[in-house]
Amino acid sequence: MSYDLMVFDPKAAPKDQDSFMEWYDDITQWSEPHDYASPHILSDALAAFYEILRLDFPPLNGPHAVSDDRLDDPEVTDYTISEHAIYLAFAWSMSAKARTAVLKAAERAQVGFFDVSAEDGAVAHTPLEVKALREQQ
């Protein structure tokens, strides 16, 4: 089991909760015709987020994957990349650090944020909403 978060292109995601959850369900069917480990399909904002976050949470797979000797490192993260979102699966031991880092990177890159693992599933579409979530920690 993992601690899961998602960042997304706020222009592509619906604003109201019910529509957002339908959109999320569609995306996580993983039916897009591309490699879900490749960051090459990302928008500029999502690519910026990826470049920020992968420094502290290196990818498990894809072109920037860690070497086999680091696979047990708790900071190694599973990135699943779709056209309009990045789904991130962290080790539970990294949950607090990961949430803080993702919120900071999302605010900086101006992408949306969804706390997949939370019961209430906080969603933030704007940098101000992301900042408010970060400040609530």
Side-chain angles (χ1 to χ4, degrees):
M1 195 157 155
S2 59
Y3 176 69
D4 300 343
L5 300 173
M6 187 177 88
V7 293
F8 57 89
D9 180 347
K11 295 174 191 152
K15 302 285 187 248
D16 73 273
Q17 185 72 16
D18 290 340
S19 297
F20 178 85
M21 291 309 297
E22 288 177 23
W23 178 80
Y24 166 79
D25 288 341
D26 286 343
I27 281 185
T28 56
Q29 295 300 309
W30 312 121
S31 59
E32 295 172 16
H34 59 79
D35 176 5
Y36 280 94
S38 175
H40 303 297
I41 63 161
L42 293 171
S43 67
D44 290 344
L46 284 170
F49 169 87
Y50 175 81
E51 290 301 322
I52 294 166
L53 198 71
R54 77 179 182 93
L55 299 176
D56 291 323
F57 291 93
L60 175 65
N61 46 31
H64 305 110
V66 296
S67 59
D68 287 348
D69 63 324
R70 288 198 60 202
L71 291 179
D72 290 332
D73 183 334
E75 292 177 339
V76 173
T77 301
D78 187 7
Y79 291 74
T80 304
I81 297 170
S82 77
E83 186 177 356
H84 298 292
I86 304 173
Y87 192 99
L88 305 136
F90 298 92
W92 268 103
S93 62
M94 292 285 104
S95 61
K97 182 179 178 184
R99 190 173 197 278
T100 298
V102 169
L103 284 166
K104 284 181 181 178
E107 183 181 359
R108 187 169 161 200
Q110 299 188 351
V111 296
F113 170 86
F114 176 39
D115 193 337
V116 178
S117 287
E119 280 188 38
D120 62 358
V123 178
H125 287 84
T126 68
L128 286 176
E129 291 171 343
V130 172
K131 180 179 181 182
L133 286 176
R134 185 175 53 78
E135 291 175 347
Q136 289 174 4
Q137 296 193 101

